[in-house]
Each structure stands twice: as structure tokens, then as C-alpha cells.
Amino acid sequence: AVRSFVKFVIKSLGLRMLVIEGSNFKQGMETLVASGIRAVVMGQRRGDPWMDGVGVFSPSSPGWPAFLRINPVIDWSFMHVWMFLRIFDLPYCALYDEGFTSLGSVKDTTQNPQLMRPDGSFRPAYELTDGTSERAGRSAKRKSKDGEAENQEVKLVPENTDPTDVIDSLHEGGTGSSS
């Protein structure tokens, strides 16, 4: 569902996708900054890990490559996000309709137990009334020796690569995160 949604967004907005499969997010950012990226629009919010003290426009953290973080929804709550998506009838990943409230990797993401109905099915994410429970379906990430969350090795996809081919290859068993 995540890959289908990414594919939809890329195609409908005419975007070019650059995939970096990295051992961790920090190494991926190092690769991007080395390629000339200077600012990144992020969807992080105040309740996300490591977001204390971060503003709408904030430099990267000490020890990270130098780039500007642009955080347009930093002060939005879980409810604000869902109000915005639903009022403007914007598309979102179908997993949110299946009871997922926070998406990570396939290995650390499950449906939010607070959305379980008596029959075992799940209500959609936008019905979660306690925004502090948004990550109730997430488990802790495994950490490597240097304290970073583990993933795969860094690999840039050539600029002329069709993003739908990349998504399809990931879906067919290639490496990569599901988020």
C-alpha cells in the first residue's frame, strides 16, 4: 500500500524520485548533501522523536551533514493532520484506513491496538481520539553499534530511472524500506 501511494504521488504530481538505500537515515542525508541538496522539506511534527527545540526552519543537528530542515507541520497535532487531509479530500496511504496510525518499516509497524473493534477489525486512523497514542502500533527500532537505526547500504538510483520501475523492483523483493 505504501509503495502504491508513493507511485501515485510521483505520477500525479510529476515528481522525480531519488531513492537512497542506506544503512541509516544519517548516511542517506550525507549522500544527498554531497550531491548538492541544501534544504529538505520534512513532515515531522513536535511529538516525533528528536523534534524538541526544532522550528519551522532549523539547521540540521550537530554531527549531521549541513542542510536546512523545513518543517511546515512541526506544530500540527495528529488531529490537525487528519482534519487537513479530510477537509481538502487529499489522498493518503490506504494503510491508514486499515488501523495503522504511524508508518515505519514492515518490521516495526502494526495496526494501532486502540483502533481495534470488538470483531477484530480496525477503525481508520482518523478515528483515533487520543493523539498521544499515535505510535502505539510501532515497536522500537533495532540500533547498530553507532546508535543509528539499521537498514541497508547506500545506493543512488540514476537520475533518468523511471520512479515506477524503482517502486516495482522494491515491491518485487528488492531491498528498501516500506515507508
Side-chain angles (χ1 to χ4, degrees):
V2 173
R3 290 184 182 107
S4 295
F5 180 68
V6 170
K7 203 177 202 178
F8 164 78
V9 170
I10 290 167
K11 193 171 211 159
S12 64
L13 297 178
L15 300 175
R16 180 178 66 90
M17 185 170 111
L18 174 65
V19 175
I20 299 175
E21 297 173 4
S23 60
N24 59 52
F25 184 75
K26 185 176 180 181
Q27 287 179 340
M29 289 307 303
E30 288 168 351
T31 302
L32 287 173
V33 169
S35 73
I37 298 293
R38 296 294 171 249
V40 178
V41 177
M42 305 181 99
Q44 294 171 307
R45 293 179 292 114
R46 188 74 54 214
D48 292 341
W50 309 290
M51 289 295 103
D52 291 339
V54 173
V56 174
F57 298 97
S58 292
S60 53
S61 301
W64 281 67
F67 65 94
L68 179 66
R69 288 188 279 202
I70 303 169
N71 303 297
V73 297
I74 191 75
D75 290 316
W76 287 23
S77 69
F78 182 77
M79 308 262 184
H80 289 136
V81 170
W82 280 106
M83 258 194 303
F84 182 80
L85 292 172
R86 298 193 73 219
I87 286 171
F88 291 102
D89 195 28
L90 297 171
Y92 55 85
C93 179
L95 289 175
Y96 292 112
D97 286 333
E98 298 174 17
F100 292 86
T101 55
S102 178
L103 302 179
S105 74
V106 172
K107 296 176 185 173
D108 74 359
T109 306
T110 60
Q111 291 158 305
N112 191 316
Q114 292 195 11
L115 291 172
M116 185 184 281
R117 294 180 177 123
D119 68 359
S121 65
F122 287 84
R123 296 187 329 266
Y126 57 80
E127 290 187 17
L128 183 69
T129 56
D130 178 8
T132 63
S133 301
E134 175 182 357
R135 287 179 174 67
R138 297 281 294 273
S139 61
K141 287 191 176 195
R142 212 169 20 125
K143 300 286 182 176
S144 64
K145 288 180 253 176
D146 67 357
E148 297 290 334
E150 292 184 353
N151 251 339
Q152 290 82 31
E153 68 184 74
V154 173
K155 175 183 166 189
L156 283 176
V157 175
E159 187 173 326
N160 60 352
T161 302
D162 181 347
T164 56
D165 291 341
V166 174
I167 298 292
D168 288 341
S169 74
L170 290 172
H171 185 65
E172 292 165 1
T175 58
S177 171
S178 67
S179 56

